[in-house]
Amino acid sequence: MSYCASRFRTIRRPSVEVKVGTVGVGGKNPLRLQSMTTSDTQDIEATVRQSVALAEVGCEIVRITAPNPAAAKCLREIRQKISAAGFAHVPLVADIHFLPQAAMEAVEHVEKVRVNPGNYADKKKFNVREYSDADYERELQRLHDAFSPLVKRAKELGRALRIGTNHGSLSDRVMNRYGDTPLGMVESALEFVRICEAHGFHDIILSMKASNPKIMIQTYRLLAARMDTAHRPYPLHLGVTEAGDGEDGRIKSAIGIGSLLLDGLGDTIRVSLTEDSVYEIPVARAIADKAMALWRDAPEGMTNDESRMANGSDQSSIRHSPLVISHSGTDQHDSIDPFVFERRVISEMELAPACRLGPEQPPRVIVRASLAELADPSSAIHSQKLKDTPIEGVLVPIATAADLTQVSASLKAAAASPVFVVLELAAAITPGDLKSKIEDKKTKAPLVLLRRFTGNDGALLSDFAAFARDRGQVLACDIALGDFSPLAAALRSLGDTNAIFTLSATAASAAHAVGAYRQLAGELRKIGSRAPIWIRNTPATAMQGDNSFLSKLLEASFLTGGLLCDGLGDLVSIETEADLARSAKLAYNVLQGAGARSSKTEFVACPSCGRTLFDLQTTTQRIREKTGHLKGVKIAIMGCIVNGPGEMADADFGYVGGAPGKINLYVGKQCVQYNLPQTGADERLIALIKEHGKWVDPAPALAP
Ligand code: SF4
């Protein structure tokens, strides 16, 4: 079962075009950007104002919640006023949970209706029961009866439907049969797809959102694979739900959405941020532009099948090719199961005392510094202020033997030194230079030697490997993918305990750096190596876009975050960011977003909508200030009770709007305190965290 044409190039998944009003989604259309208003829908003026503001910044599809029939009725006037303001071409989507009556009203007024299969016809009671096949069939018939009127009316009116599954708000029926799993999410949507198809209705868009990017990625992959073998290839709406705000929200969204887009999946995207929704659009625009630049740059040498699929032709017979494609003249076998997260198994290795690599060790963080920065005692390399995001490795370029002397002097003089230092050796540097200039000078940090080797460098590679092994150092090998075969014998003799692999600038080129690292994992598997992989974001891996911090953040999330969600990556470096502290912080935030290493509290915060019962932005900021130091703890902050508890899925604690001015507190999925006045609810949350043994006092502030 495959979910995309290639995991090594961005070949767009062909999909049928679905019209949402005048806006085409899928097919040959560009990626469409969308967002959602946060006003009370019955406040018509505010909702129109927000919708127009979104359209003005480039939002192509605007979603508005319709929590009840009264709110759904307001959509008529909202539609009229937005059209009168000059935005008749911007389609509106009604967001429905629970109430088919609201959907039946909304479909009269707007171009698309989103339903959540977990709660459209099912009341969630968290019941645990066995469903016999006959019980299950009866439930499906009930579902058919409840959903069919909407499908028929949408067909009559030419509306589109989004079947939008959310992790954590699956029906009891699906939970009991499939569990809280990607398969359960997919099956939940397909139950609704089958009803649509039974009525000959195909204007369907699907989404599979989760707040955990790994689950979200696996689920969309599974959906694409299942759908494209048994159903029409309907367009996909991508999003990471409850991503939060600021850098973290952008990173989580970019990891999930970017990873899928690089594999060619996705036709419309929403970046959900706990911020004013207009701030979502520039992020979505930048993500979409990077992905679409890869579509246009589909490399030559594509097979006929791939070409047909990339062109979106022959949609009636779309079937994906297996995950074995021709690349640079050799077949590349993917070594990863894309539907199940499993970290690539590596051998244990000590980089420095108390800094190991291994299956149970977190990925380590390296920053790139100049010789001057290494020598500067006030540099962030030596700063105690990076306590929660420590720089573990420092990569310094070594062009000449004199540079080695300088490194040696810097490390001798420094009061505090990095955990380990990586010397990026130019071709002119020999083991003899290392021996004469740096050996026995009592550097305070262990050394890793990074060198590029070409296919003719077998003997040289063996020399460096022997040199490093004799001194207990690690050799980081930067090898172009095409050079693995000629170097195979030398590489096999390296062993796994003092070699690291990374990719050269050209191998990990912008065309599909994720694919290049996947191939690296495949090459290592071929030679039986369990050596760690170092993921490097460098100027050579930079994609389309400017030199802004947002652009660097998105690309780091695509490459490093995407690979970590594939189970690859044991060291990471964001070398595109020159500021050392920012580079380290960005690396830690990407690790946290990918669930690979926790350096602070993780917040799962909904973006807010017309159902929200308190000010989400200020509440999230306030709770973050009080609890943001709790490494490894996950806190969900949800604006409402009807949807929040289900959507917060795997959080440790939840702070959820129960009624206007009232908060419900959760431990896991269990509500333990109801209807607390919002004043004082923060303290009750902290008390709850303490009761469950997850509280630590914040560290005292360090002097500047
Ligand atoms: S959890 Fe937040 S975004 Fe979701 S429905 Fe409730 S208020 Fe709206």
Side-chain angles (χ1 to χ4, degrees):
M1 189 166 61
S2 63
Y3 70 93
C4 67
S6 170
R7 281 170 46 87
F8 308 101
R9 312 175 200 179
T10 301
I11 300 170
R12 191 182 184 191
R13 167 185 172 265
S15 60
V16 292
E17 182 192 44
V18 169
K19 284 278 192 193
V20 183
T22 56
V23 174
V25 178
K28 291 183 180 177
N29 291 294
L31 278 170
R32 301 297 188 185
L33 313 186
Q34 56 178 296
S35 181
M36 191 168 181
T37 57
T38 58
S39 51
D40 176 350
T41 306
Q42 294 187 62
D43 183 344
I44 292 175
E45 293 308 322
T47 305
V48 170
R49 213 170 30 247
Q50 283 198 8
S51 303
V52 167
L54 278 170
E56 282 175 340
V57 294
C59 178
E60 295 170 282
I61 300 172
V62 174
R63 185 156 47 114
I64 301 170
T65 191
N68 51 50
K73 264 198 179 71
C74 294
L75 293 172
R76 177 191 172 90
E77 195 177 337
I78 291 169
R79 173 70 277 176
Q80 287 168 349
K81 290 195 165 178
I82 293 171
S83 297
F87 295 97
H89 59 285
V90 176
L92 302 183
V93 184
D95 196 58
I96 305 291
H97 294 274
F98 292 113
L99 292 180
Q101 310 94 292
M104 292 305 293
E105 177 67 35
V107 75
E108 301 295 323
H109 313 305
V110 294
E111 289 76 12
K112 187 169 97 177
V113 175
R114 178 266 168 127
V115 298
N116 180 344
N119 60 28
Y120 188 78
D122 294 291
K123 297 275 177 293
K124 195 158 178 63
K125 299 186 181 118
F126 297 98
N127 278 344
V128 178
R129 58 167 283 204
E130 276 291 314
Y131 287 83
S132 67
D133 287 350
D135 291 341
Y136 209 90
E137 274 308 311
R138 265 193 298 278
E139 285 282 299
L140 291 181
Q141 187 56 48
R142 189 177 58 74
L143 197 65
H144 186 97
D145 296 344
F147 186 46
S148 290
L150 179 64
V151 176
K152 287 184 194 163
R153 192 63 184 141
K155 192 175 176 187
E156 282 163 10
L157 294 171
R159 311 297 199 213
L161 293 179
R162 168 154 71 98
I163 299 169
T165 307
N166 277 10
H167 182 232
S169 62
L170 299 176
S171 68
D172 287 347
R173 177 183 64 261
V174 168
M175 284 286 280
N176 278 285
R177 181 156 282 203
Y178 299 96
D180 190 7
T181 61
L183 182 59
M185 290 175 70
V186 170
E187 191 50 39
S188 178
L190 291 182
E191 288 178 354
F192 278 63
V193 168
R194 290 182 198 111
I195 297 170
C196 291
E197 290 178 338
H199 292 290
F201 179 77
H202 300 288
D203 291 325
I204 308 167
I205 296 172
L206 291 112
S207 64
M208 298 277 122
K209 297 192 185 179
S211 65
N212 179 329
K214 269 189 216 133
I215 291 175
M216 175 263 191
I217 291 166
Q218 286 163 23
T219 308
Y220 275 101
R221 287 173 177 172
L222 191 60
L223 174 72
R226 290 283 299 271
M227 201 167 53
D228 294 350
T229 51
H231 302 272
R232 291 194 188 185
Y234 300 110
L236 299 179
H237 164 134
L238 304 185
V240 175
T241 191
E242 284 81 47
D245 59 357
E247 206 171 296
D248 294 333
R250 284 160 177 76
I251 287 171
K252 258 195 191 179
S253 291
I255 291 173
I257 296 172
S259 173
L260 292 161
L261 289 176
L262 256 61
D263 284 349
L265 271 57
D267 303 287
T268 174
I269 63 173
R270 187 211 172 177
V271 173
S272 299
L273 297 176
T274 312
E275 299 176 19
D276 291 348
S277 14
V278 287
Y279 294 119
E280 295 177 357
I281 300 303
V283 185
R285 178 80 274 152
I287 289 174
D289 286 348
K290 287 178 190 299
M292 289 194 292
L294 293 184
W295 291 351
R296 286 197 294 273
D297 289 340
E300 289 178 12
M302 201 181 274
T303 65
N304 287 340
D305 263 4
E306 289 169 350
S307 168
R308 174 176 55 78
M309 294 164 72
N311 289 331
S313 59
D314 193 13
Q315 294 195 347
S316 61
S317 63
I318 289 164
R319 291 289 184 273
H320 286 168
S321 56
L323 291 180
V324 179
I325 65 161
S326 174
H327 186 91
S328 306
T330 54
D331 280 345
Q332 297 299 320
H333 295 266
D334 205 345
S335 57
I336 294 160
D337 179 348
F339 304 109
V340 180
F341 175 78
E342 205 173 311
R343 194 170 170 194
R344 175 176 169 265
V345 177
I346 60 166
S347 300
E348 280 277 344
M349 173 188 298
E350 182 173 288
L351 285 172
C355 185
R356 299 181 69 77
L357 299 178
E360 304 300 326
Q361 301 294 329
R364 301 297 177 180
V365 171
I366 298 173
V367 298
R368 184 184 188 87
S370 64
L371 288 168
E373 284 168 316
L374 189 68
D376 177 1
S378 67
S379 153
I381 296 167
H382 313 290
S383 172
Q384 293 294 314
K385 279 188 284 186
L386 300 177
K387 192 169 168 296
D388 291 328
T389 54
I391 291 172
E392 293 173 316
V394 175
L395 166 66
V396 284
I398 303 294
T400 65
D403 293 344
L404 289 169
T405 309
Q406 200 176 329
V407 167
S408 180
S410 299
L411 291 178
K412 256 170 84 179
S417 56
V419 177
F420 62 95
V421 173
V422 185
L423 303 179
E424 186 179 34
L425 306 174
I429 305 293
T430 64
D433 295 329
L434 289 162
K435 193 167 162 42
S436 65
K437 301 290 182 191
I438 208 158
E439 199 173 350
D440 298 330
K441 300 290 190 299
K442 296 214 179 310
T443 58
K444 286 179 184 159
L447 300 179
V448 173
L449 309 178
L450 167 63
R451 197 181 190 286
R452 187 169 179 189
F453 297 102
T454 67
N456 298 322
D457 286 340
L460 193 66
L461 175 65
S462 298
D463 284 353
F464 269 96
F467 178 84
R469 197 165 35 239
D470 289 349
R471 287 151 184 83
Q473 293 169 346
V474 171
L475 180 64
C477 303
D478 170 356
I479 298 173
L481 292 164
D483 288 334
F484 264 79
S485 291
L487 290 175
L491 291 172
R492 278 198 188 94
S493 69
L494 276 180
D496 299 339
T497 52
N498 77 327
I500 289 171
F501 285 87
T502 189
L503 281 180
S504 63
T506 45
S509 70
H512 201 312
V514 169
Y517 275 94
R518 285 173 177 163
Q519 288 181 60
L520 172 61
E523 293 293 349
L524 292 177
R525 198 166 79 136
K526 275 193 223 163
I527 59 168
S529 172
R530 291 184 163 191
I533 290 178
W534 170 10
I535 304 169
R536 298 178 65 188
N537 279 83
T538 69
T541 63
M543 301 163 71
Q544 186 273 356
D546 54 27
N547 196 33
S548 65
F549 186 70
L550 174 66
S551 184
K552 295 170 191 170
L553 174 151
L554 296 179
E555 292 184 4
S557 306
F558 283 18
L559 176 60
T560 307
L563 287 166
L564 289 167
C565 287
D566 262 4
L568 300 179
D570 309 291
L571 304 102
V572 303
S573 56
I574 316 292
E575 298 165 43
T576 45
E577 173 52 49
D579 182 282
L580 302 181
R582 279 182 106 187
S583 166
K585 187 166 167 255
L586 180 53
Y588 277 99
N589 285 344
V590 172
L591 289 169
Q592 177 115 13
R597 182 172 181 176
S598 176
S599 54
K600 59 185 176 184
T601 312
E602 182 161 351
F603 291 96
V604 177
C606 82
S608 90
C609 72
R611 296 174 189 265
T612 309
L613 292 164
F614 55 84
D615 185 329
L616 257 162
Q617 292 183 36
T618 55
T619 303
T620 304
Q621 282 159 16
R622 205 181 56 243
I623 293 178
R624 177 183 283 119
E625 275 164 27
K626 294 176 182 172
T627 64
H629 61 288
L630 301 175
K631 207 185 274 191
V633 176
K634 199 171 192 175
I635 299 176
I637 303 163
M638 297 287 165
C640 79
I641 190 170
V642 291
N643 202 30
E647 291 188 358
M648 66 194 194
D650 53 354
D652 299 307
F653 301 95
Y655 180 108
V656 180
K662 301 284 190 222
I663 302 300
N664 293 353
L665 296 182
Y666 284 71
V667 176
K669 287 181 182 165
Q670 185 79 33
C671 185
V672 293
Q673 295 182 14
Y674 289 91
N675 284 334
L676 299 171
Q678 195 178 7
T679 316
D682 296 8
E683 281 59 46
R684 300 290 290 274
L685 173 68
I686 290 169
L688 209 53
I689 297 171
K690 287 181 177 168
E691 274 168 37
H692 285 78
K694 302 251 179 165
W695 181 264
V696 289
D697 288 329
L702 292 159

Short mmCIF file of all heavy atoms in Angstrom, two decimals, residues 36-38 63 65 95 97 114 166 241-242 270 605-614 616 637-648 656-657, ligand 1:
data_model
loop_
_atom_site.label_atom_id
_atom_site.label_comp_id
_atom_site.label_asym_id
_atom_site.label_seq_id
_atom_site.Cartn_x
_atom_site.Cartn_y
_atom_site.Cartn_z
N MET A 36 -10.31 30.82 9.49
CA MET A 36 -11.61 30.79 10.16
C MET A 36 -11.80 32.04 11.00
O MET A 36 -10.83 32.52 11.62
CB MET A 36 -11.62 29.54 11.05
CG MET A 36 -12.95 29.20 11.62
SD MET A 36 -12.93 27.57 12.35
CE MET A 36 -14.62 27.47 12.88
N THR A 37 -13.01 32.53 11.04
CA THR A 37 -13.28 33.68 11.91
C THR A 37 -13.36 33.21 13.36
O THR A 37 -13.62 32.04 13.63
CB THR A 37 -14.61 34.34 11.52
OG1 THR A 37 -15.64 33.36 11.59
CG2 THR A 37 -14.56 34.92 10.12
N THR A 38 -13.17 34.15 14.29
CA THR A 38 -13.24 33.80 15.71
C THR A 38 -14.38 34.52 16.43
O THR A 38 -14.58 34.36 17.62
CB THR A 38 -11.92 34.16 16.42
OG1 THR A 38 -11.69 35.56 16.25
CG2 THR A 38 -10.75 33.39 15.86
N ARG A 63 -13.92 30.13 6.74
CA ARG A 63 -14.81 29.23 7.51
C ARG A 63 -15.39 29.99 8.69
O ARG A 63 -14.70 30.77 9.35
CB ARG A 63 -14.03 28.00 7.96
CG ARG A 63 -14.87 26.96 8.65
CD ARG A 63 -14.22 25.57 8.56
NE ARG A 63 -12.81 25.55 8.89
CZ ARG A 63 -12.30 24.92 9.94
NH1 ARG A 63 -13.10 24.30 10.79
NH2 ARG A 63 -11.01 24.92 10.16
N THR A 65 -18.03 29.34 12.14
CA THR A 65 -18.72 28.30 12.90
C THR A 65 -20.23 28.53 12.89
O THR A 65 -20.70 29.68 12.89
CB THR A 65 -18.19 28.25 14.36
OG1 THR A 65 -18.70 27.07 14.97
CG2 THR A 65 -18.60 29.45 15.18
N ASP A 95 -18.98 25.67 9.70
CA ASP A 95 -18.33 24.62 10.51
C ASP A 95 -19.36 24.05 11.47
O ASP A 95 -19.89 24.76 12.32
CB ASP A 95 -17.17 25.24 11.29
CG ASP A 95 -16.25 24.18 11.83
OD1 ASP A 95 -15.72 23.40 11.02
OD2 ASP A 95 -16.05 24.12 13.05
N HIS A 97 -20.64 21.10 14.22
CA HIS A 97 -20.43 19.99 15.15
C HIS A 97 -21.79 19.69 15.78
O HIS A 97 -22.48 20.60 16.23
CB HIS A 97 -19.45 20.37 16.26
CG HIS A 97 -18.06 20.62 15.75
ND1 HIS A 97 -17.13 19.61 15.57
CD2 HIS A 97 -17.44 21.76 15.37
CE1 HIS A 97 -16.00 20.13 15.13
NE2 HIS A 97 -16.17 21.44 14.98
N ARG A 114 -18.71 22.00 6.51
CA ARG A 114 -17.79 21.02 7.11
C ARG A 114 -18.54 20.27 8.22
O ARG A 114 -19.16 20.88 9.08
CB ARG A 114 -16.57 21.74 7.71
CG ARG A 114 -15.58 20.81 8.40
CD ARG A 114 -15.86 20.71 9.89
NE ARG A 114 -15.12 19.63 10.52
CZ ARG A 114 -14.35 19.79 11.59
NH1 ARG A 114 -14.22 20.96 12.15
NH2 ARG A 114 -13.75 18.75 12.11
N ASN A 166 -11.35 14.69 13.35
CA ASN A 166 -10.35 15.17 14.31
C ASN A 166 -9.95 14.03 15.23
O ASN A 166 -10.81 13.32 15.75
CB ASN A 166 -10.93 16.29 15.18
CG ASN A 166 -10.86 17.63 14.49
OD1 ASN A 166 -10.56 17.72 13.30
ND2 ASN A 166 -11.15 18.67 15.23
N THR A 241 -4.25 20.65 14.10
CA THR A 241 -5.21 21.36 14.94
C THR A 241 -4.60 21.68 16.30
O THR A 241 -3.67 20.99 16.75
CB THR A 241 -6.51 20.53 15.07
OG1 THR A 241 -7.50 21.34 15.67
CG2 THR A 241 -6.32 19.28 15.88
N GLU A 242 -5.09 22.74 16.92
CA GLU A 242 -4.60 23.14 18.25
C GLU A 242 -3.08 23.28 18.29
O GLU A 242 -2.42 22.81 19.22
CB GLU A 242 -5.04 22.14 19.33
CG GLU A 242 -6.47 22.26 19.73
CD GLU A 242 -7.42 21.58 18.76
OE1 GLU A 242 -7.14 20.43 18.39
OE2 GLU A 242 -8.41 22.20 18.37
N ARG A 270 -4.82 24.96 6.09
CA ARG A 270 -5.09 25.96 7.10
C ARG A 270 -4.04 25.84 8.20
O ARG A 270 -3.80 24.75 8.73
CB ARG A 270 -6.46 25.78 7.74
CG ARG A 270 -6.74 26.97 8.66
CD ARG A 270 -7.60 26.67 9.84
NE ARG A 270 -7.63 27.84 10.73
CZ ARG A 270 -8.35 27.92 11.83
NH1 ARG A 270 -9.12 26.92 12.16
NH2 ARG A 270 -8.29 28.98 12.60
N ALA A 605 -3.25 24.48 22.17
CA ALA A 605 -4.26 25.52 22.34
C ALA A 605 -5.08 25.65 21.07
O ALA A 605 -4.52 25.72 19.97
CB ALA A 605 -3.59 26.85 22.66
N CYS A 606 -6.39 25.66 21.21
CA CYS A 606 -7.22 25.76 20.01
C CYS A 606 -7.14 27.17 19.44
O CYS A 606 -6.79 28.11 20.16
CB CYS A 606 -8.66 25.34 20.31
SG CYS A 606 -9.67 26.61 21.06
N PRO A 607 -7.44 27.33 18.17
CA PRO A 607 -7.28 28.66 17.56
C PRO A 607 -8.40 29.62 17.95
O PRO A 607 -8.31 30.80 17.64
CB PRO A 607 -7.32 28.35 16.06
CG PRO A 607 -8.10 27.09 15.95
CD PRO A 607 -7.82 26.31 17.20
N SER A 608 -9.45 29.12 18.59
CA SER A 608 -10.68 29.84 18.96
C SER A 608 -11.58 30.01 17.74
O SER A 608 -11.13 29.96 16.59
CB SER A 608 -10.40 31.17 19.65
OG SER A 608 -10.30 32.22 18.74
N CYS A 609 -12.86 30.14 18.03
CA CYS A 609 -13.85 30.33 16.97
C CYS A 609 -15.07 30.96 17.63
O CYS A 609 -14.99 31.40 18.78
CB CYS A 609 -14.19 28.99 16.30
SG CYS A 609 -15.16 27.90 17.34
N GLY A 610 -16.18 30.96 16.94
CA GLY A 610 -17.37 31.60 17.49
C GLY A 610 -17.92 30.90 18.72
O GLY A 610 -18.84 31.40 19.36
N ARG A 611 -17.40 29.73 19.06
CA ARG A 611 -17.88 29.03 20.26
C ARG A 611 -17.07 29.38 21.50
O ARG A 611 -17.42 28.97 22.60
CB ARG A 611 -17.75 27.51 20.06
CG ARG A 611 -18.59 26.92 18.97
CD ARG A 611 -18.22 25.44 18.81
NE ARG A 611 -18.84 24.85 17.64
CZ ARG A 611 -19.99 24.19 17.66
NH1 ARG A 611 -20.64 24.03 18.79
NH2 ARG A 611 -20.48 23.67 16.55
N THR A 612 -15.95 30.06 21.31
CA THR A 612 -15.00 30.25 22.40
C THR A 612 -15.62 30.99 23.59
O THR A 612 -16.31 32.00 23.40
CB THR A 612 -13.78 31.04 21.87
OG1 THR A 612 -13.33 30.40 20.70
CG2 THR A 612 -12.67 31.09 22.89
N LEU A 613 -15.33 30.51 24.79
CA LEU A 613 -15.98 31.05 25.99
C LEU A 613 -15.07 31.94 26.83
O LEU A 613 -15.47 32.39 27.90
CB LEU A 613 -16.50 29.88 26.84
CG LEU A 613 -17.66 29.11 26.17
CD1 LEU A 613 -17.88 27.76 26.84
CD2 LEU A 613 -18.94 29.92 26.22
N PHE A 614 -13.84 32.14 26.43
CA PHE A 614 -12.97 33.09 27.13
C PHE A 614 -11.92 33.58 26.14
O PHE A 614 -11.81 33.04 25.03
CB PHE A 614 -12.32 32.46 28.38
CG PHE A 614 -11.55 31.19 28.08
CD1 PHE A 614 -10.23 31.24 27.64
CD2 PHE A 614 -12.14 29.94 28.25
CE1 PHE A 614 -9.53 30.09 27.37
CE2 PHE A 614 -11.43 28.78 27.98
CZ PHE A 614 -10.13 28.85 27.54
N LEU A 616 -8.91 33.41 24.49
CA LEU A 616 -7.90 32.35 24.39
C LEU A 616 -6.48 32.89 24.35
O LEU A 616 -5.57 32.30 24.94
CB LEU A 616 -8.16 31.53 23.14
CG LEU A 616 -8.83 30.19 23.42
CD1 LEU A 616 -9.45 29.62 22.20
CD2 LEU A 616 -7.83 29.21 24.00
N ILE A 637 -5.39 24.02 26.25
CA ILE A 637 -6.24 25.16 26.59
C ILE A 637 -7.27 25.27 25.46
O ILE A 637 -6.93 25.58 24.32
CB ILE A 637 -5.40 26.45 26.71
CG1 ILE A 637 -4.30 26.23 27.76
CG2 ILE A 637 -6.28 27.64 27.09
CD1 ILE A 637 -3.19 27.24 27.69
N MET A 638 -8.51 24.95 25.80
CA MET A 638 -9.56 24.82 24.79
C MET A 638 -10.70 25.78 25.07
O MET A 638 -11.16 25.88 26.21
CB MET A 638 -10.11 23.39 24.79
CG MET A 638 -9.09 22.37 24.42
SD MET A 638 -8.76 22.47 22.66
CE MET A 638 -7.27 21.54 22.60
N GLY A 639 -11.19 26.40 24.02
CA GLY A 639 -12.18 27.46 24.18
C GLY A 639 -13.57 26.99 24.53
O GLY A 639 -14.38 27.78 25.01
N CYS A 640 -13.89 25.72 24.28
CA CYS A 640 -15.26 25.30 24.57
C CYS A 640 -15.30 23.83 24.92
O CYS A 640 -14.38 23.07 24.64
CB CYS A 640 -16.18 25.59 23.38
SG CYS A 640 -16.05 24.39 22.06
N ILE A 641 -16.43 23.46 25.51
CA ILE A 641 -16.57 22.10 26.01
C ILE A 641 -17.12 21.15 24.94
O ILE A 641 -16.84 19.96 24.96
CB ILE A 641 -17.48 22.10 27.26
CG1 ILE A 641 -17.46 20.76 27.96
CG2 ILE A 641 -18.90 22.52 26.93
CD1 ILE A 641 -18.13 20.78 29.30
N VAL A 642 -17.87 21.71 23.97
CA VAL A 642 -18.52 20.78 23.03
C VAL A 642 -17.50 20.07 22.16
O VAL A 642 -17.68 18.94 21.77
CB VAL A 642 -19.56 21.48 22.13
CG1 VAL A 642 -20.76 21.91 22.93
CG2 VAL A 642 -18.96 22.64 21.37
N ASN A 643 -16.39 20.75 21.91
CA ASN A 643 -15.42 20.17 21.00
C ASN A 643 -14.06 20.01 21.66
O ASN A 643 -13.28 19.15 21.28
CB ASN A 643 -15.30 21.09 19.77
CG ASN A 643 -14.78 20.37 18.59
OD1 ASN A 643 -15.00 19.19 18.45
ND2 ASN A 643 -14.07 21.09 17.75
N GLY A 644 -13.78 20.86 22.65
CA GLY A 644 -12.46 20.90 23.24
C GLY A 644 -11.96 19.59 23.82
O GLY A 644 -10.89 19.11 23.43
N PRO A 645 -12.70 18.95 24.75
CA PRO A 645 -12.16 17.76 25.39
C PRO A 645 -11.78 16.67 24.40
O PRO A 645 -10.78 15.98 24.58
CB PRO A 645 -13.31 17.30 26.29
CG PRO A 645 -14.09 18.53 26.55
CD PRO A 645 -13.98 19.35 25.31
N GLY A 646 -12.58 16.53 23.35
CA GLY A 646 -12.24 15.53 22.36
C GLY A 646 -10.98 15.90 21.60
O GLY A 646 -10.13 15.06 21.34
N GLU A 647 -10.85 17.18 21.29
CA GLU A 647 -9.73 17.59 20.44
C GLU A 647 -8.40 17.63 21.18
O GLU A 647 -7.35 17.61 20.56
CB GLU A 647 -10.04 18.95 19.81
CG GLU A 647 -11.16 18.86 18.78
CD GLU A 647 -11.37 20.13 18.01
OE1 GLU A 647 -10.67 21.10 18.27
OE2 GLU A 647 -12.24 20.14 17.14
N MET A 648 -8.46 17.71 22.51
CA MET A 648 -7.17 17.85 23.19
C MET A 648 -6.48 16.50 23.39
O MET A 648 -5.35 16.44 23.85
CB MET A 648 -7.31 18.60 24.51
CG MET A 648 -8.10 17.90 25.56
SD MET A 648 -8.50 19.08 26.86
CE MET A 648 -9.04 17.96 28.14
N VAL A 656 -10.50 24.09 30.04
CA VAL A 656 -11.50 24.11 28.97
C VAL A 656 -12.67 25.00 29.36
O VAL A 656 -13.17 24.91 30.50
CB VAL A 656 -12.01 22.66 28.70
CG1 VAL A 656 -13.05 22.65 27.59
CG2 VAL A 656 -10.85 21.74 28.34
N GLY A 657 -13.14 25.84 28.44
CA GLY A 657 -14.31 26.67 28.70
C GLY A 657 -15.54 25.78 28.88
O GLY A 657 -15.88 25.00 28.00
S1 SF4 B 1 -12.21 23.86 20.84
FE1 SF4 B 1 -11.81 26.02 20.26
S2 SF4 B 1 -11.76 26.05 18.00
FE2 SF4 B 1 -12.65 24.07 18.63
S3 SF4 B 1 -14.86 24.48 18.60
FE3 SF4 B 1 -14.22 24.87 20.72
S4 SF4 B 1 -13.70 27.06 20.79
FE4 SF4 B 1 -13.88 26.49 18.61
#
